[in-house]
Amino acid sequence: MAMNAFKLAHLGAAALLSAAASPPPDVRHLSGDVSVLIGTSCNVLILPSDGGALIVDDQRRSDLPETLAAVSQVSKAPVRYVIDTHWHLDHSGGNGSFAASGASIIAQRNVLVRRSTEQFMAAYKAHIPADPPAARPTRLFDKSLDLTVGSERVELRHVANAHTDGDTLVRFRKANVVAMGDVFFNHIFPFIDRSSGGSIQGMIKGVEAALRMGDERTIYVPAHGPVATRAELVAYRDMLADVAGRVKADMRAKRTLEQVIASHPAAAYREGMEGEEDRFVEAVYDSFAHEDLHHRL
Ligand SMILES: [Zn+2]
């Protein structure tokens, strides 16, 4: 008894010390059973259930304590399912740890392909080594996968060649929430990873697919930036289409990449925006440079 009391006091002090070292995770209830961690590296959706929690994205490996603390705020059970919205390490860096504690790592098939070999991200001149086999996705799908977790229906839908070639949108049917991954950067000029098969055409189609998955009351959760309404996602789609149209018109007029960037086709959207405007414009240009210009969006 005395020993247990000592242990409890000791553990309590340790918990207080670790709580003092890092601020509590910013977890917000969205709708139904679904919450979101506004995370250090990306937003993480959390769906608790008696049989284990489901999370969408698991941040960088170094964010693991934050992700675990967030899950424990809303779930008594540990993580049973991790969905990777795509392969980037600010979304999938926790995979190895969650897999080691028994979770299924679920992803579109191209995520496994990219995590199984070294990747080169030309936009950042970065070489990213392959994941060890134990950290790679374990449950794969091509176009769609539906799961039942607790009383929630979770619908995974692949959108092709958007931010990468392995993006997944995740709809929580009962809560009416859609997790967008990096197909939606809210108040941030989007990064389109051309080295990983991303394209402006696919980004626009991906957003349109997300709009078809929801209704006026759907909560759309970008992986970066604040949680959004349908109207905000529509405005983002319109911004993508407008900038794409301007770049395409410049290219028809035989303007070079340097000239297109210098004409600032996204300037109208700068207010309240973060991110890298020129990098975004370059990715739009590059997307069109590698397709038939007569192809319609
Ligand atoms: Zn990404």
Side-chain angles (χ1 to χ4, degrees):
M1 188 73 185
M3 191 60 189
N4 280 345
F6 170 77
K7 265 190 176 163
L8 277 173
H10 183 71
L11 286 171
L16 278 175
L17 276 174
S18 84
S22 53
D26 182 359
V27 179
R28 304 173 191 183
H29 177 249
L30 290 175
S31 168
D33 293 334
V34 180
S35 295
V36 63
L37 161 67
I38 308 299
T40 299
S41 293
C42 73
N43 297 330
V44 176
L45 286 96
I46 309 169
L47 170 65
S49 88
D50 293 341
L54 175 147
I55 63 175
V56 179
D57 286 335
D58 58 22
Q59 302 207 83
R60 290 188 191 282
R61 193 194 312 217
S62 55
D63 301 315
L64 189 67
E66 179 186 63
T67 309
L68 289 171
V71 170
S72 69
Q73 267 191 30
V74 294
S75 175
K76 291 188 201 80
V79 171
R80 182 173 173 194
Y81 305 103
V82 174
I83 298 170
D84 291 340
T85 59
H86 61 293
W87 75 266
H88 288 155
L89 293 186
D90 52 334
H91 297 255
S92 67
N95 283 0
S97 305
F98 285 106
S101 51
S104 296
I105 311 295
I106 305 168
Q108 203 275 339
R109 191 171 303 277
N110 293 335
V111 174
L112 176 64
V113 173
R114 293 199 178 274
R115 295 313 298 128
S116 303
T117 55
E118 183 182 272
Q119 296 297 303
F120 178 64
M121 289 171 78
Y124 295 102
K125 297 186 173 54
H127 291 272
I128 292 108
D131 261 337
R136 294 177 193 167
T138 52
R139 186 164 173 186
L140 303 175
F141 69 98
D142 289 306
K143 291 202 176 327
S144 68
L145 177 70
D146 290 358
L147 302 168
T148 300
V149 177
S151 61
E152 184 58 273
R153 188 80 174 154
V154 186
E155 301 170 347
L156 288 70
R157 297 291 179 268
H158 171 52
V159 288
N161 301 99
H163 171 67
T164 66
D165 61 5
D167 298 300
T168 295
L169 307 179
V170 185
R171 178 188 183 200
F172 298 87
R173 181 182 270 275
K174 216 165 119 185
N176 200 3
V177 171
V178 176
M180 299 290 298
D182 278 356
V183 175
F184 183 22
F185 285 76
N186 197 12
H187 299 298
I188 303 165
F189 283 114
F191 170 53
I192 300 171
D193 187 355
R194 295 281 300 141
S195 304
S196 299
S199 70
I200 184 64
Q201 298 93 326
M203 287 287 270
I204 293 169
K205 285 180 185 156
V207 172
E208 285 173 346
L211 291 170
R212 285 195 299 275
M213 288 163 78
D215 58 34
E216 291 305 319
R217 288 199 293 277
T218 303
I219 298 169
Y220 288 98
V221 184
H224 306 285
V227 170
T229 61
R230 181 183 185 87
E232 288 172 291
L233 186 61
V234 168
Y236 172 78
R237 187 269 318 268
D238 292 348
M239 181 276 287
L240 295 179
D242 179 42
V243 175
R246 286 168 193 273
V247 170
K248 207 166 181 178
D250 278 356
M251 292 173 77
R252 284 208 174 102
K254 306 283 183 222
R255 298 208 172 94
T256 63
L257 170 63
E258 291 69 29
Q259 289 169 329
V260 173
I261 289 175
S263 76
H264 302 302
Y269 303 98
R270 281 177 188 163
E271 200 183 316
M273 277 299 237
E274 295 173 35
E276 297 173 77
E277 181 182 333
D278 290 352
R279 196 191 292 284
F280 165 53
V281 171
E282 182 173 352
V284 173
Y285 180 100
D286 195 55
S287 299
F288 288 127
H290 292 90
E291 69 145 30
D292 172 13
L293 279 178
H294 299 292
H295 174 84
R296 297 232 166 250
L297 278 176

